[in-house]
Amino acid sequence: MLIVHKYGGTSVGSLERIASVASRVEKAKKEGNDLVVVVSAMSGETNKFIEFAKHFSDNPSKREMDMLLSSGERVTASLLAIALQEKGVDAIAMTGRQAGINTDTMHTYARIESIDPSAMQSEIDKGRVVVVAGFQGINKDGAVTTLGRGGSDLSAVAIAGALKADSCEIYSDVDGIYTTDPRIEPKAKKMDFISYDEMLELASLGAKVLQNRSVELAKKLNVKMIAKSSFSDAEGTVIGEESENMEAVLVSGIALDRNQARVTIREVADRPGIAAEIFTKLAEEQVNIDMIIQNASADGTTNLGFTVSGCQSDQAKAVIEAFDHDIGSMDFDDSVCKVSVVGVGMKSHAGVAATAFTALAHEGINIEMISTSEIKVSMVIAEKYAELAVRTLHQTYNLDA
Ligand code: ADP
Ligand code: ASP
Ligand code: MG
């Protein structure tokens, strides 16, 4: 079997942890498997580098940020290869470029365009464990790029797809995917299986246990992902294609995204084209908009509200402040969060949203914005109610049963 392992920041967070990962890899190798191991930076390193750069500039060049950020993963990849060699396991560390990962030119949020797996394959053929620095690739100009926060998950899935690996095991500090973040609700239950679509929603809506783009790619390439713990030998959760009878499960999980901000623009001229203008400007600055609400107009103007992820709120503010016509004042609130109910069963059942609204109302939690899709209901609420809302919804749908 050819297996891809990916170890996240906590799993390689100290020299002892790297030694423990080396033992795990050695064991899998001795069981007769071929292995590619993708690693993250030691936990906290990427954030530390970002702070370092801020010391010199409020707006550092994205190209240089990628040079900086990609270095954390090189440290862990080389240390793990050294630890493996010391155990007598033949291993070689590679950067993203050496592993053949080609991306577009969008620095700090690059997309993988292609992978040339020949260098990795030839090392595997020599019996070596290939250790790849995650989260990075190279663009057509030869510059290092990074894949967005949590991007080592994406590296692992893309490599598993390119090498046609049998599975892609993502190791973190939790032993699988739970019905909600077990740090918020200790009664959360581990799932044996979750469909790509549900996992994609949970990840996109804030469950950072897997990076959302990695789940999207796994679905596209049909890569079998398994979420496991590097701290135990527990079974883990398989992420795969949904089966016929899965609609029986109404709600499979609750996600929380604390990193949200809401922008309200008042006195927006109520005329054709104004929304197009505002949101085109935001898109040009690469600001991703999530929920949008527009009120019915009074006296020829209306209020327009939308949410953005917290890390893009400065860009969003700057765009609206620079907008010089047809709008009044702007309010900005980053003390909100988004809580979401996810489940494929919603496709065929009415009333899931009403149940969620009722449960939050009983707790006195005001819902400020709502959005729904076939398999999710998301609500923006005050951040101070985040945990209470998660636990309330978890109980409402009997997820702890
Ligand atoms: P790594 O650093 O290894 O990439 P992350 O910190 O990104 O790991 O992801 C693991 C964390 O995800 C867990 O510690 C847990 O708190 C959080 N998490 C959020 N939602 C869930 C969920 N539904 N199931 C399991 N873990 C979750
Ligand atoms: N080190 C990067 C981050 O912190 C990538 C990763 O861990 O997957 O976002
Ligand atoms: Mg992660």
Side-chain angles (χ1 to χ4, degrees):
M1 295 242 278
L2 170 58
I3 307 175
V4 174
H5 283 193
K6 179 263 169 175
Y7 293 93
T10 352
S11 301
V12 293
S14 65
L15 301 180
E16 293 70 35
R17 289 298 313 154
I18 294 176
S20 146
V21 166
S23 301
R24 217 170 250 281
V25 172
E26 178 187 28
K27 180 161 172 273
K29 181 71 183 160
K30 286 201 168 135
E31 285 165 0
N33 299 298
D34 288 328
L35 280 169
V36 175
V37 182
V38 176
V39 286
S40 286
M42 295 167 94
S43 60
E45 284 296 283
T46 310
N47 289 340
K48 188 180 83 186
F49 293 152
I50 293 173
E51 290 307 315
F52 281 177
K54 277 194 190 150
H55 182 78
F56 297 103
S57 167
D58 290 337
N59 188 20
S61 135
K62 291 193 167 167
R63 182 194 179 281
E64 311 317 318
M65 283 310 285
D66 276 350
M67 277 294 286
L68 177 64
L69 297 190
S70 61
S71 61
E73 270 70 11
R74 290 177 68 152
V75 170
T76 41
S78 37
L79 288 175
L80 178 58
I82 292 169
L84 285 166
Q85 289 163 3
E86 204 50 34
K87 285 177 168 296
V89 180
D90 200 1
I92 180 169
M94 291 186 175
T95 63
R97 180 184 68 78
Q98 290 169 333
I101 300 177
N102 302 303
T103 74
D104 65 12
T105 53
M106 264 279 282
H107 280 294
T108 74
Y109 203 72
R111 294 193 161 266
I112 297 178
E113 287 186 333
S114 65
I115 295 190
D116 172 1
S118 54
M120 286 187 286
Q121 189 63 59
S122 88
E123 297 299 336
I124 294 167
D125 294 343
K126 289 177 202 151
R128 292 189 173 139
V129 172
V130 178
V131 185
V132 181
F135 177 52
Q136 58 187 276
I138 192 101
N139 70 19
K140 63 174 173 24
D141 307 320
V144 178
T145 49
T146 64
L147 307 175
R149 298 307 303 270
S152 298
D153 293 345
L154 181 63
S155 307
V157 168
I159 288 171
L163 289 167
K164 303 195 168 35
D166 295 280
S167 64
C168 180
E169 303 180 356
I170 308 281
Y171 289 88
S172 73
D173 58 357
V174 269
D175 56 8
I177 311 300
Y178 281 69
T179 47
T180 193
D181 189 340
R183 288 185 207 239
I184 297 176
E185 173 52 281
K187 288 189 218 145
K189 290 272 180 302
K190 187 168 85 182
M191 297 177 239
D192 298 330
F193 178 89
I194 183 167
S195 71
Y196 290 123
D197 289 339
E198 285 172 304
M199 190 63 234
L200 181 57
E201 289 284 2
L202 284 177
S204 304
L205 294 168
K208 67 167 187 151
V209 57
L210 296 177
Q211 191 223 28
N212 57 349
R213 282 164 68 183
S214 73
V215 180
E216 197 177 11
L217 188 66
K219 177 178 167 142
K220 190 169 149 203
L221 302 179
N222 203 16
V223 169
K224 177 181 173 190
M225 288 178 98
I226 311 174
K228 287 186 168 186
S229 166
S230 66
F231 294 78
S232 80
D233 288 319
E235 271 294 307
T237 302
V238 173
I239 299 100
E241 208 55 70
E242 109 192 29
S243 59
E244 295 288 303
N245 54 5
M246 273 187 60
E247 285 196 26
V249 185
L250 187 59
V251 168
S252 54
I254 312 294
L256 172 66
D257 190 343
R258 293 175 194 275
N259 188 22
Q260 292 276 307
R262 187 188 49 194
V263 180
T264 310
I265 317 174
R266 302 195 189 282
E267 295 156 59
V268 178
D270 194 22
R271 61 158 177 86
I274 184 74
E277 250 186 90
I278 293 172
F279 290 108
T280 303
K281 286 247 158 47
L282 288 162
E284 281 166 3
E285 292 302 313
Q286 315 290 342
V287 178
N288 286 317
I289 306 299
D290 184 13
M291 297 184 197
I292 301 176
I293 286 188
Q294 184 179 321
N295 296 347
S297 81
D299 348 311
T301 70
T302 164
N303 290 343
L304 188 62
F306 60 89
T307 58
V308 290
S309 99
C311 53
Q312 292 197 306
S313 55
D314 286 346
Q315 280 141 284
K317 256 197 224 168
V319 169
I320 304 305
E321 273 161 8
F323 202 88
D324 57 2
H325 60 93
D326 284 340
I327 67 171
S329 58
M330 171 180 71
D331 273 0
F332 184 79
D333 184 2
D334 60 4
S335 65
V336 294
C337 68
K338 180 169 67 182
V339 54
S340 307
V341 178
V342 173
V344 283
M346 283 182 213
K347 283 184 195 172
S348 49
H349 286 78
V352 174
T355 305
F357 304 155
T358 308
L360 295 191
H362 274 306
E363 296 297 330
I365 301 173
N366 188 41
I367 302 170
E368 301 179 16
M369 289 171 120
I370 298 166
S371 85
T372 62
S373 78
E374 252 195 330
I375 67 168
K376 70 122 199 269
V377 181
S378 292
M379 293 149 284
V380 171
I381 60 172
E383 189 167 14
K384 64 181 178 195
Y385 295 125
E387 274 103 2
L388 176 62
V390 168
R391 286 196 288 263
T392 301
L393 294 169
H394 196 264
Q395 196 185 1
T396 299
Y397 296 104
N398 273 325
L399 293 173
D400 44 9

